Amino acid sequence: MTDSVKYLLDESRIPRHWYNIVADLPAPPPLVLHPGTLKPVGPDDLAPLFPMSLIGQEVSAEREIEIPGPVRDIYRQWRVTPLYRARRLEKALQTPARIYYKYEGVSPAGSHKPNTAVAQAFYNREAGVKRITTETGAGQWGSSLAFAGAVFGIEVQVFMVKVSYQQKPYRRALMETYGAQCIASPSIETEYGRSVLARSPDSNGSLGIAISEAVEIAASRDDTKYALGSVLNHVLLHQTVVGLEAMEQLEIADDYPDVIVGCTGGGSNFAGIAFPFLGSQLRGGRSVRIVAVEPAACPSLTRGRYAYDFGDTGHMTPLTKMHTLGSAFMPPGFHAGGLRYHGMAPLVSHVKQLGLIEARAYHQLQCFEAGVLFARQEGIVPAPEANHAVKGAIDEAERCREEGVSRAILFNLCGHGHFDMQAYTDYFAGKLTDNVYDERELAMALSGLPSVPEPA
Ligand SMILES: Cc1ncc(COP(=O)(O)O)c(C=O)c1O
């Protein structure tokens, strides 16, 4: 074992394939259904929204999918991202644990999101698409797609959840710097946005609403497609570069994780780091505990129901089986905007249902406390979303100390918090609170789930 702090790889080692966990699952994931017919959706149903190449990846069961040369070329701007050993944090915690983190904050937008934004923009350009609409919660995804649009010459329109739009003016400025248009959602640009504003003029917005707005535009305009920054199979697939690189970097460190931790909003950064290791386990390799960490204010995996639901509030998307709080669930305006989604990626939900991963929820105050401790030791200020993973990793490391056991803990530091300093300012000023739900509130949100008969 070395005493390095950073494990770096040359850009020639950027993976040549993404890893598709569907190939190794003990049971196939449930089918995606058309909300009108309740029959499985086919490629033609999705064609108004996505190019065929991405639809192909969405339903693929091939283990490896080649990363196109032009995508690898753009990845070279920031990949291979560093794997750090958190030696200073370990010391501060007085833990025998070996803590590693993969740092995705070195990307142009400051998070893991460009890994899929670049790929999606590339496939859209190949299909001759000139314009893409999307939504963004924290602003990380919107800025990533804006960057990718600039790279491949595609116009990008972003519906940004209103509370984040107000909390993070510099994210909007970043999107505009890359040449995208950024609109606060709910907006008057779409029929659905106008209907929400008529009912609730002061709506904070939600990812579910912003998705409906972006989908409405893509579905109604021939020149426009839609892109999603998480949840879908092809998005999780593109994020596996993170875990694949980490595997090789850990080989240099002569180590292997006992525990992997990732935060979960829609599930993509978590899947990105965890699925390559889980796949290896499923093929007979070493087993690893995998922990998904979510906000207690939006607890889809830990308190949601595993059921068919819509991906958006306006019910324009197909039905997917996932852990959900109900598409009408309106999370409060807590500061991890990227984790405020009512559902969870169907693939992450499926592996949770199969008992292959664990899930845990934390309140925002304890996550900020963990993030500040991390920043003071490691120097990097994590995004509020990433603080959930930091907190999860610290808890695991403290358990090692209590048990007197040295385990290797790997987590995904999925983004930096440089655009989120208002959140830290509010935290230091004592302005942040924790949201607690009783079962009745959650049951109410779930009462509107679509009724889908179980297959015979
Ligand atoms: C920094 C960061 N982490 C995590 C997330 C959550 O998304 P996912 O679960 O797809 O990784 C977001 C989403 O915007 C984000 O910006």
Side-chain angles (χ1 to χ4, degrees), residues 31-41 308 310 319 450-453:
L31 296 166
V32 176
L33 303 181
H34 189 287
T37 62
L38 299 185
K39 298 246 170 0
V41 295
Y308 273 101
F310 290 95
L319 297 172
S451 140
V452 178

Side-chain angles (χ1 to χ4, degrees), residues 39-219:
K39 298 246 170 0
V41 295
D44 290 345
D45 296 312
L46 299 173
L49 299 184
F50 304 107
M52 270 303 160
S53 42
L54 288 174
I55 294 171
Q57 291 181 359
E58 192 59 25
V59 297
S60 172
E62 258 177 72
R63 181 173 292 121
E64 290 187 334
I65 293 176
E66 190 178 344
I67 304 178
V71 173
R72 280 187 88 240
D73 238 15
I74 305 299
Y75 278 177
R76 287 164 63 204
Q77 297 295 126
W78 72 97
R79 308 211 70 83
V80 173
T81 62
L83 178 79
Y84 281 85
R85 170 91 183 259
R87 294 188 186 274
R88 290 179 46 81
L89 180 65
E90 289 169 16
K91 213 168 190 179
L93 296 172
Q94 297 183 327
T95 174
R98 308 181 305 283
I99 307 175
Y100 298 90
Y101 59 96
K102 183 78 167 148
Y103 185 40
E104 289 296 305
V106 295
S107 81
S111 74
H112 61 295
K113 297 282 179 181
N115 296 332
T116 181
V118 168
Q120 292 192 49
F122 166 78
Y123 289 115
N124 272 285
R125 200 225 21 210
E126 290 296 281
V129 174
K130 300 279 183 294
R131 197 164 175 273
I132 303 180
T133 56
T134 195
E135 70 296 319
T136 195
Q140 285 273 14
W141 165 243
S143 356
S144 302
L145 194 68
F147 158 67
V151 165
F152 289 111
I154 297 177
E155 202 185 311
V156 172
Q157 182 185 46
V158 183
F159 289 90
M160 184 169 188
V161 177
K162 196 189 281 166
V163 63
S164 295
Y165 185 90
Q166 288 160 348
Q167 282 167 348
K168 300 190 200 185
Y170 297 128
R171 272 284 163 200
R172 169 188 170 191
L174 182 60
M175 289 179 233
E176 289 171 349
T177 304
Y178 286 135
Q181 182 195 19
C182 176
I183 300 163
S185 166
S187 77
I188 54 167
E189 302 281 322
T190 64
E191 214 169 287
Y192 186 67
R194 288 189 292 274
S195 76
V196 174
L197 288 171
R199 268 180 279 126
S200 340
D202 298 326
S203 169
N204 264 342
S206 71
L207 269 173
I209 293 171
I211 293 173
S212 297
E213 291 206 85
V215 167
E216 180 185 319
I217 296 225

Side-chain angles (χ1 to χ4, degrees), residues 312-337:
D312 69 325
T313 312
H315 296 181
M316 295 174 206
T317 65
L319 297 172
T320 50
K321 195 156 187 187
M322 60 182 177
H323 288 86
T324 178
L325 296 161
S327 61
F329 181 78
M330 196 55 81
F334 65 92
H335 264 294

Side-chain angles (χ1 to χ4, degrees), residues 425-440:
T425 304
D426 290 350
Y427 170 68
F428 292 126
K431 287 188 189 163
L432 299 190
T433 51
D434 288 334
N435 296 86
V436 186
Y437 303 113
D438 60 30
E439 287 305 324
R440 212 169 36 98

Side-chain angles (χ1 to χ4, degrees), residues 264-265 294-295 297-306 322-325 339 341-345 349:
T264 44
E294 64 181 6
C298 195
S300 56
L301 268 178
T302 51
R303 296 180 73 188
R305 190 173 302 159
Y306 186 54
M322 60 182 177
H323 288 86
T324 178
L325 296 161
L339 307 185
Y341 183 58
H342 68 271
M344 183 48 59
S349 295

Side-chain angles (χ1 to χ4, degrees), residues 299-441:
S300 56
L301 268 178
T302 51
R303 296 180 73 188
R305 190 173 302 159
Y306 186 54
Y308 273 101
D309 198 6
F310 290 95
D312 69 325
T313 312
H315 296 181
M316 295 174 206
T317 65
L319 297 172
T320 50
K321 195 156 187 187
M322 60 182 177
H323 288 86
T324 178
L325 296 161
S327 61
F329 181 78
M330 196 55 81
F334 65 92
H335 264 294
L339 307 185
R340 277 197 302 251
Y341 183 58
H342 68 271
M344 183 48 59
L347 276 177
V348 172
S349 295
H350 185 55
V351 296
K352 166 79 169 42
Q353 205 59 17
L354 291 171
L356 297 170
I357 63 165
E358 302 167 25
R360 197 183 286 170
Y362 290 123
H363 287 289
Q364 69 171 348
L365 287 176
Q366 56 190 156
C367 293
F368 274 99
E369 188 188 349
V372 170
L373 169 65
F374 182 86
R376 289 178 186 175
Q377 295 307 321
E378 298 291 313
I380 298 168
V381 179
E385 293 81 5
N387 280 342
H388 291 72
V390 173
K391 169 69 179 155
I394 288 177
D395 275 8
E396 290 295 328
E398 287 181 335
R399 231 172 86 184
C400 288
R401 184 182 63 214
E402 281 151 24
E403 294 170 9
V405 184
S406 172
R407 295 190 194 97
I409 300 162
L410 168 67
F411 76 95
N412 200 5
L413 188 63
C414 51
H416 68 62
H418 297 174
F419 289 89
D420 304 283
M421 296 318 292
Q422 188 59 48
Y424 281 88
T425 304
D426 290 350
Y427 170 68
F428 292 126
K431 287 188 189 163
L432 299 190
T433 51
D434 288 334
N435 296 86
V436 186
Y437 303 113
D438 60 30
E439 287 305 324
R440 212 169 36 98
E441 276 175 282

